[in-house]
Amino acid sequence: MPLRRSVLILVFVGLFTPAVVSGVIQYFQLHQEIRSHFWGDKARLENILVYGTQELLWNFDQESALKLVESVMTDHRVRRVVIAEPDGTVFLERASPLADSPLAVTDAQSILHDGGVIGTLRLTMDPISDYAAIGKQLLPMVAGLLLQLVLSLVLIYVFLNRQFLLPVKRLEEQSSRLANQALDKEYTWETPNELGKLGSSLEVTRRSLRVYRDNLEALVQERTAELQAANRELEAFSYSVSHDLQAPLRAIDGYATAVEEDFAAVLPPAAQDYLRKLRRGVNRMSSLISDLLALSRVTRSPMRRVEVDLAILADQVIAELREAEPAREVDFWCERPLTVVVDPGLMKAALRNLLGNAWKYTSKTEGARIRLTSSGGTRPIFTVDDNGAGFSMQDVSKLFQAFQRLHDASDYPGNGIGLALVQRVVTRHGGQIWAEGEPGRGARFSFWLGTPLGEKTGEEGL
Ligand SMILES: Nc1ncnc2c1ncn2[C@@H]1O[C@H](COP(=O)(O)OP(=O)(O)OP(=O)(O)O)[C@@H](O)[C@H]1O
Ligand SMILES: [Mg+2]
């Protein structure tokens, strides 16, 4: 319910209830007063009639008795007067035309003379006209109350409106403008009360927000440019470092080979062993550098999206793997076609790592099996799963970090770069990748790609 209506209802109820209660009390007091007044008058008239007709009844002076009765009947509340002798014979009776009103009350009184009963007086009186008088008095009373009510209502409403409702409305307006970030209109608050203070603090907030908003855009642009520059610098640096490290390594390897070959006859077996170890270290370092280069190429190379069948790319990768290890028997199954719009080079590198991992980590499994499936739909989820060594879900957060490995190099060789590269490829396609596994029961890598088939992409040339 709006505040204005609630306040109106509150003020109305607050004023109306005491007015009604005091009106009802006044009405009952008036009613009580009129009743006791009526009964007093009735007793007085009965006395007049009883004592006034004593002698007249005794002397059978009907004429004088009638005069007395008629003078009493000038009071319009008197409806009927009956004077009867002890044997019931009516000595005198006078009645007004409205004698049988339902509110009329009749009392009988004995008329005495010298201690003996000489007759009975029955006086009927009707209080209706007294009640009518209440009605007449009530009307101005109610009108006065209503006037008082309306006046108070108007005065209280005007006061509340000025002091409370209008400032609250302004506050509401001001805070919803703040919420909608319309920060240009200034508010001045002169009211010294709590609402005024609240309004002034909203105004201070508006000013700070405006300053903040004006600076934010520039700040974001500045920071983005700084970040992009830092990123570019970092990538160029790691690329050139990796690239430049290859040349001295090749030299070390070349000289070590030369020493090994040219001085084989003079070198003691221990020195030859050291040389072999030295060349193994050099080769390992060279392979690490190649992987690093491949990883940085994933982010640096421009994107070129075309429609590709993932199943065909997977077949090519599996063929390469079979060629490298013809002795292995691995059951590969793939759903087809798996049409996607991707960069074929990057996607093949990603599949080479995913399927290469599945191939590698099933090398100690009997009946090795690798599958590539799709959930279908407009934005399919592709899954590569195998029944190989698997991994513990406790370490799942490490999987996609460069150089993080969950298996020992003596069991399964590798540098720990492959999945970091796969994640970069998927991210560059606007998608996401995640993994599930269980030690000894295999692993499952699922990913989706950002641009579904048929949608345009704005990433070309990145
Ligand atoms: N299919 C899989 N089954 C079990 N573990 C896996 C599987 N794929 C990856 N892992 C775990 O995740 C780790 C990281 O994988 P990633 O491909 O990045 O590195 P790698 O295969 O060890 O080395 P690289 O790919 O650089 O030759 C692996 O060392 C392995 O412990
Ligand atoms: Mg790998």
Side-chain angles (χ1 to χ4, degrees), residues 291 353-354 357-358 360-361 386 388-391 398-399 401 404-407 412-420 442-445:
D291 280 357
N353 277 286
L354 283 175
N357 279 352
K360 178 164 54 178
Y361 295 100
D386 63 66
F391 57 86
K398 294 184 193 158
L399 274 186
Q401 292 172 25
Q404 289 282 352
R405 307 203 63 232
L406 307 185
H407 292 89
Y412 301 96
N415 294 331
I417 285 289
L419 285 181
R444 154 196 285 261
F445 289 84

